[in-house]
Amino acid sequence: MTAAEHLDGEDGENGESAGWRLFRGDGRVRRVALPKPPPWRRFGLDDTEERGAASPDPYRPYLIDQPQIDVVNAALHLRRPLLVTGHPGTGKSSLAYAIAREMDLGKVLRWPVNSRSTLAEALYQYDAVGRLRETSLGHDGATPPPDIGHFVRLGPLGTALLPRDRPRVLLIDELDKGDVDLPNDLLTVFEEGEFEIPELSRLPAGQHRTLVHTAHGAEPHEVVGGFVRCREFPVVVITSNGEREFPPAFLRRCLRLDLPDPDERRLRAIVAAHLGPETVPRVDDLIRTFLARRAPGELATDQLLNAAHLRLGGVDLDAQGLLEAVLHQLGGAV
């Protein structure tokens, strides 16, 4: 029995096995056991991890050639942001997680950029309304009002700039989706490695040390004088899908890394790394199909992994429209 046939043991109305089909579209209520997800789609905590604990990022096998490795190392030595470009699925975002894991730099701080993103929100947020509400409620003598730092939370960029002996990895994902002025807004922070929180810098001298919240639920951190200054510049990985150009002043402060589309050799290595070397011969035809379709339509490598995972689970990818649904083109109207 294949893994897919084992997904649910209930037979169809005529006695035939329903196979891998968890949903059958007949309106009947069934309680089926879901199979294990692909390795790259597993979420949540392990049984040994406590909720809220700072657990490391899940391991993602990452393959990269020596020329690209050298560019990454140059950025590390120069303490410069790494601007990573390439087609979807070439591993731009995953590079940040690979660096963090291999160098033991903790969890990646991720800032997903969209058209409404601003530098201010990436640095910190101040809950003025919450502080006003707490002040207006009043407190008895035994319960002092919360400190102003209780209402300040650093964003991913602000957290990355906290003074530490070892840097954090900051992923600025899809910067080209942001406002046209956002790259220029980052220049001062990249050059000086610091920023000011005016709500804290205006406090009296006796209150110049304040604990503030940090991104992703990490431990609070002390801010002195309202300024956050890094000791080690963070490892900044900026991804772009090439939807628009960046200003020269911004590009001058970055090292550029263009990740090429993986060839047949690299695709086989990726499948082996994620699903095991023994699986490669079983999906050889899928790799050839992927390569044949990629040129006109631009497919992402994770689409190949999706197809391989289904094939290895016993799913018939030749069924009506199924292969087309998995290896669909990324360009054009939907």
Side-chain angles (χ1 to χ4, degrees):
M1 178 181 292
T2 67
E5 291 171 338
H6 186 67
L7 297 186
D8 67 61
E10 186 177 344
D11 293 336
E13 293 181 358
N14 297 324
E16 73 277 7
S17 173
W20 67 284
R21 293 181 175 87
L22 305 173
F23 170 74
R24 304 182 193 176
D26 59 8
R28 290 178 55 192
V29 177
R30 302 175 179 85
R31 188 177 183 87
V32 298
L34 291 173
K36 288 185 177 180
W40 53 91
R41 294 296 297 168
R42 292 175 185 171
F43 306 98
L45 301 174
D46 295 332
D47 293 338
T48 58
E49 295 175 331
E50 296 181 5
R51 187 166 301 277
S55 58
D57 291 302
Y59 174 55
R60 300 172 173 86
Y62 193 81
L63 303 177
I64 184 172
D65 290 326
Q66 194 60 51
Q68 288 79 43
I69 294 174
D70 291 342
V71 176
V72 173
N73 280 287
L76 293 173
H77 280 275
L78 296 172
R79 306 315 200 261
R80 288 292 185 180
L82 189 65
L83 177 59
V84 187
T85 58
H87 290 132
T90 51
K92 299 186 296 296
S93 300
S94 299
L95 177 59
Y97 294 91
I99 294 172
R101 181 181 185 276
E102 185 172 322
M103 297 182 63
D104 193 22
L105 295 178
K107 292 179 70 66
V108 173
L109 296 164
R110 179 172 176 260
W111 178 25
V113 176
N114 57 50
S115 60
R116 300 178 301 278
S117 297
T118 63
L119 175 62
E121 73 178 26
L123 293 175
Y124 78 98
Q125 292 181 325
Y126 172 58
D127 185 8
V129 174
R131 190 183 185 209
L132 178 62
R133 182 174 60 249
E134 286 291 329
T135 303
S136 64
L137 288 176
H139 294 270
D140 55 33
T143 308
D147 184 80
I148 185 174
H150 180 77
F151 305 97
V152 176
R153 179 176 296 277
L154 301 183
L157 176 54
T159 302
L161 290 172
L162 287 170
R164 295 185 178 89
D165 294 330
R166 289 178 59 77
R168 294 290 297 273
V169 176
L170 171 67
L171 171 60
I172 303 178
D173 216 4
E174 299 187 332
L175 181 61
D176 51 335
K177 289 187 176 180
D179 183 81
V180 66
D181 292 326
L182 187 55
N184 282 328
D185 293 340
L186 287 164
L187 294 181
T188 301
V189 175
F190 284 168
E191 282 299 290
E192 299 181 1
E194 70 173 20
F195 69 97
E196 180 185 7
I197 304 176
E199 292 83 358
L200 302 184
S201 61
R202 292 194 295 260
L203 294 175
Q207 303 177 31
H208 68 292
R209 295 182 177 272
T210 310
L211 280 177
V212 300
H213 299 288
T214 55
H216 305 337
E219 290 293 323
H221 200 282
E222 186 178 65
V223 174
V224 180
F227 281 86
V228 175
R229 299 181 180 91
C230 67
R231 283 200 294 265
E232 278 286 346
F233 189 75
V235 179
V236 180
V237 177
I238 305 170
T239 71
S240 169
N241 291 319
E243 295 183 4
R244 62 177 174 83
E245 290 293 326
F246 295 117
F250 174 80
L251 295 176
R252 181 171 65 85
R253 290 163 171 83
C254 301
L255 267 70
R256 299 195 61 172
L257 173 61
D258 185 61
L259 295 180
D261 293 329
D263 57 15
E264 183 173 354
R265 176 189 62 84
R266 174 50 54 84
L267 288 174
R268 293 178 183 276
I270 291 173
V271 171
H274 283 273
L275 300 173
E278 73 283 355
T279 66
V280 177
R282 297 172 58 187
V283 297
D284 185 73
D285 60 318
L286 291 178
I287 295 175
R288 292 196 301 270
T289 299
F290 177 86
L291 288 168
R293 295 181 177 213
R294 185 175 64 181
E298 294 301 343
L299 301 175
T301 305
D302 57 350
Q303 291 176 279
L304 172 62
L305 292 174
N306 290 338
H309 176 76
L310 292 176
R311 164 69 63 79
L312 296 172
V315 177
D316 180 14
L317 288 173
D318 294 327
Q320 295 180 0
L322 185 55
L323 186 61
E324 295 291 337
V326 178
L327 296 184
H328 62 87
Q329 296 182 0
L330 301 182
V334 177

